[in-house]
Amino acid sequence: MAISHICINCAKDLARQPAIFDPHYSLPLVICPDCNKASVRRPNYYSIKYKSLLRIITVFSTLLFQTLCIIALAGATVACVFLIGNVVFLMTDAELSRLSVTNVIIAVSLTSIATGAWLTAGFSHIPKLKVWIGWSVFLVMVTAIASIIYFLSKSNIDANFGSATILLVLANTLALIPILVMMILAMVGIPLGNFFLYLYQILARELWQWRKRRLSLGRTR
Amino acid sequence: MKADQEKIDLQAEIASPQPISIIVGDRLCVHCGYNLTGQSIFRESHYDLLIARCPECGSVTSLQDYPSLGRWANRWAGVAAGLWVFLLLAMWAGSSGAIFGISMATAMEASSGPFRSYIDDQFQEWKIEQEALAANNPSTANSATNNTAIQGITLPTGTPAQAQVFFRGGGLYTNFSKWWDLQDNAALIKQFGGWRQAVDNDAFYFWILLTLLAFAMGCFWGIALLKQRRRGLLIWASLIIATSCVFAIFAFVDWFTTDAYYPRSASEHVIAPPILVLSIAFAVIPLFTGVLLGRPIARRLTRILLPPRLLNSLSTLWITDGLEPPHLQSSR
């Protein structure tokens, strides 16, 4: 049995009245044979829920992707800062030969370029200056926290509180230099990010054209 | 000809309708699922229908609805609601359990420091005194103070002195609870140098974890209980803390009803209860802060991380606090 569909004007049940498709609005319409009032036949309830679910999945996937990028790139940057610190200050020649300087340069460059591309493509909705300053501040904070944890785990704070604090401040101050260098290097990634954005726009435009054709939008009734 | 007709239709549509209302609830576009909240409602002139246009896909959505007759929609809604309630209850128990667990770990760690060794040393001294007394008085030679005699164990000849001490002191602690009952805990702590000396300060590293976890849980509850205002959220956070306190009561009962058989358990009996209470009380600060800041943080983060096109699916975060949905704010 057809689902009841009552005319809101004259209360006639339009359940057995076939719907006509209005191409202008893309809506299934039923014209009441008694009062000529048009009403829209309800679309499938589950299809809307399904679309809503798809949208929510898209939203949360994007959030997850962005969060993973933040974790990965911030982690990689902090690791690079520590690597640079080790190469410059701590390592002996033997250790340096094991951990090739070239490898460190490659790691730093790749991380910086990926960061630049991601900041450009992933945050195109925020003014660029805000994004870059915000990310730099975030990196400084993460590096500071990482240094604090590192020193808490390595040094005997009770015995050498003064010297540990000085070391900590020194390390954080010195960390600013590699972060600055990496942020300057990250600018190389801007064209790459713009290219990703361009690809995305092309894809979105094509999708919109396809959807427009599918929904027959813009046609006259 | 066709193009002209399109133009006329478009002009008619643009010219004629004036918005007669605004969608304030959640209503999804039937074609793309976009949340139409905040969109204007028009009276369409040709069919006299109430419509709204999806700003994303441009399609028209009818606003005239009929109740769904299918039973499964309501059934699935019931199942989803039940699952959500179950999840919230599980998270409630989980939050309280996590706060209690970390507080308990802090309490245990705090009591495993130098005070435990001090109790051990005091007990060993007492034992040596008792053994000396027993040696001087043969009638008490087999008394309860002599570990090896009581246990019926004779250490092999030539056992190193250190191993003997370990075996008697660390391995058995036969009369420990008897000795412990004779002690005045407050005096013992005072002798040791006070609470600051007795508590192992490394335990407070657990408070970093406690702060992060309680704050994260607070944020979760701030977002999950969307219908609650500040007062309701604070009451809920208090309930979580109260449940942690209920868990703590079990630990207290265990401490106060069982005897201390080892220096470690004795140290726990003295130091752990106040530290446990202190840790749970400390968790109130990050939990309450998280509960109050959860939604603003979520709003700020989603604004940063998501492009405006996707933001409106989470517009509930704004609407629930009486704020304008983000896509309307950005369109101004």
Side-chain angles (χ1 to χ4, degrees):
Chain A
M1 187 174 279
I3 292 171
S4 172
H5 181 178
I6 308 293
C7 172
I8 48 167
N9 198 33
C10 67
K12 181 181 172 66
D13 197 337
L14 305 170
R16 295 190 181 278
Q17 202 66 24
I20 53 163
F21 186 76
D22 180 273
H24 182 75
Y25 290 125
S26 299
L27 291 173
L29 292 172
V30 183
I31 311 290
C32 176
D34 291 354
C35 66
N36 258 351
K37 173 84 182 166
S39 41
V40 181
R41 180 135 294 165
R42 191 180 178 163
N44 192 334
Y45 180 80
Y46 297 108
S47 74
I48 303 171
K49 290 290 166 197
Y50 176 67
K51 279 165 190 164
S52 148
L53 184 72
L54 283 185
R55 182 165 277 273
I56 289 286
I57 289 171
T58 312
V59 168
F60 281 102
S61 315
T62 313
L63 271 178
L64 185 71
F65 174 74
Q66 293 279 59
T67 313
L68 288 179
C69 281
I70 288 174
I71 294 168
L73 289 173
T77 308
V78 172
C80 285
V81 167
F82 273 69
L83 269 181
I84 293 169
N86 278 344
V87 167
V88 176
F89 297 110
L90 300 174
M91 281 191 173
T92 58
D93 288 345
E95 283 170 327
L96 271 178
S97 62
R98 198 152 29 92
L99 180 79
S100 153
V101 176
T102 321
N103 288 345
V104 175
I105 290 170
I106 289 171
V108 169
S109 310
L110 282 180
T111 309
S112 304
I113 291 169
T115 306
W118 173 67
L119 288 180
T120 310
F123 295 96
S124 58
H125 54 285
I126 304 177
K128 277 194 172 62
L129 194 67
K130 257 189 184 179
V131 173
W132 284 73
I133 290 174
W135 181 250
S136 308
V137 171
F138 176 70
L139 283 182
V140 170
M141 279 166 59
V142 171
T143 315
I145 292 167
S147 330
I148 288 168
I149 293 170
Y150 180 76
F151 278 99
L152 282 178
S153 63
K154 288 282 175 193
S155 59
N156 186 351
I157 297 295
D158 290 335
N160 305 309
F161 187 75
S163 58
T165 313
I166 291 165
L167 270 175
L168 199 63
V169 172
L170 193 69
N172 286 331
T173 317
L174 291 176
L176 289 176
I177 299 165
I179 287 176
L180 193 71
V181 170
M182 286 184 76
M183 289 309 287
I184 291 167
L185 258 177
M187 287 179 185
V188 180
I190 292 177
L192 189 66
N194 281 331
F195 176 68
F196 285 141
L197 266 182
Y198 174 69
L199 279 183
Y200 173 75
Q201 278 162 4
I202 288 176
L203 195 73
R205 200 179 302 140
E206 285 303 314
L207 199 69
W208 166 243
Q209 294 295 338
W210 172 77
R211 193 183 275 167
K212 202 173 157 186
R213 279 196 298 275
R214 194 170 65 95
L215 300 176
S216 314
L217 286 175
R219 275 201 215 156
T220 51
R221 59 192 153 211
Chain B
M1 188 67 183
K2 194 180 170 187
D4 288 343
Q5 185 61 47
E6 271 184 23
K7 205 174 172 184
I8 290 164
D9 279 347
L10 193 65
Q11 279 171 351
E13 204 179 301
I14 292 167
S16 62
Q18 288 296 315
I20 53 173
S21 184
I22 285 175
I23 300 173
V24 289
D26 284 341
R27 177 176 279 271
L28 307 175
C29 168
V30 288
H31 289 291
C32 67
Y34 188 87
N35 194 340
L36 297 171
T37 180
Q39 295 302 316
S40 301
I41 299 172
F42 299 97
R43 173 75 68 181
E44 176 273 334
S45 57
H46 188 78
Y47 294 112
D48 199 29
L49 289 172
L50 289 175
I51 58 164
R53 266 210 188 270
C54 173
E56 188 170 69
C57 71
S59 54
V60 170
T61 299
S62 141
L63 301 173
Q64 175 195 336
D65 265 352
Y66 296 94
S68 174
L69 288 184
R71 287 178 185 169
W72 278 102
N74 285 337
R75 283 177 189 158
W76 283 119
V79 169
L83 281 175
W84 179 241
V85 171
F86 178 75
L87 176 76
L88 290 185
L89 288 175
M91 281 301 293
W92 176 22
S95 307
S96 303
I99 289 174
F100 166 73
I102 298 175
S103 302
M104 190 72 179
T106 311
M108 300 302 252
E109 185 67 25
S111 57
S112 67
F115 187 62
R116 185 185 65 172
S117 312
Y118 177 71
I119 293 173
D120 200 1
D121 293 344
Q122 294 291 309
F123 175 62
Q124 298 304 335
E125 277 177 24
W126 177 78
K127 251 180 25 174
I128 290 163
E129 280 173 20
Q130 296 299 308
E131 279 172 0
L133 278 175
N136 292 337
N137 186 2
S139 63
T140 57
N142 290 328
S143 72
T145 54
N146 192 332
N147 290 337
T148 51
I150 287 164
Q151 297 298 317
I153 300 167
T154 309
L155 293 175
T157 324
T159 306
Q162 216 176 356
Q164 283 189 36
V165 168
F166 171 77
F167 186 75
R168 287 179 182 165
L172 291 173
Y173 291 105
T174 309
N175 288 316
F176 185 83
S177 55
K178 191 178 165 187
W179 171 78
W180 182 246
D181 288 341
L182 300 172
Q183 305 304 310
D184 177 6
N185 296 346
L188 212 59
I189 285 187
K190 203 174 173 185
Q191 274 174 20
F192 186 65
W195 278 93
R196 285 192 68 174
Q197 296 294 322
V199 172
D200 186 355
N201 289 327
D202 284 353
F204 294 106
Y205 286 130
F206 278 105
W207 279 15
I208 298 172
L209 183 64
L210 186 64
T211 307
L212 293 176
L213 196 87
F215 184 76
M217 284 185 312
C219 289
F220 168 80
W221 286 113
I223 298 162
L225 303 177
L226 274 177
K227 290 290 168 194
Q228 297 300 322
R229 295 273 171 193
R230 283 184 173 190
R231 199 174 155 202
L233 288 173
L234 290 177
I235 290 172
W236 184 257
S238 308
L239 264 176
I240 291 171
I241 293 293
T243 317
S244 297
C245 292
V246 171
F247 290 151
I249 288 171
F250 290 107
F252 274 92
V253 168
D254 185 48
W255 281 322
F256 293 132
T257 55
T258 54
D259 287 335
Y261 292 106
Y262 302 96
R264 187 186 173 99
S265 58
S267 175
E268 279 169 22
H269 282 204
V270 178
I271 291 176
I275 298 294
L276 180 61
V277 173
L278 198 67
S279 292
I280 291 177
F282 173 77
V284 170
I285 303 167
L287 185 71
F288 278 40
T289 315
V291 154
L292 294 177
L293 294 182
R295 268 180 234 164
I297 288 174
R299 282 197 287 263
R300 176 60 64 182
L301 278 180
T302 47
R303 255 185 191 286
I304 292 171
L305 296 179
L306 289 178
R309 193 174 60 82
L310 295 177
L311 264 185
N312 85 317
S313 294
L314 302 175
S315 53
T316 319
L317 281 173
W318 279 262
I319 294 168
T320 194
D321 281 345
L323 302 169
E324 272 199 334
H327 56 284
L328 290 184
Q329 288 173 22
S330 55
S331 66
R332 291 204 174 140

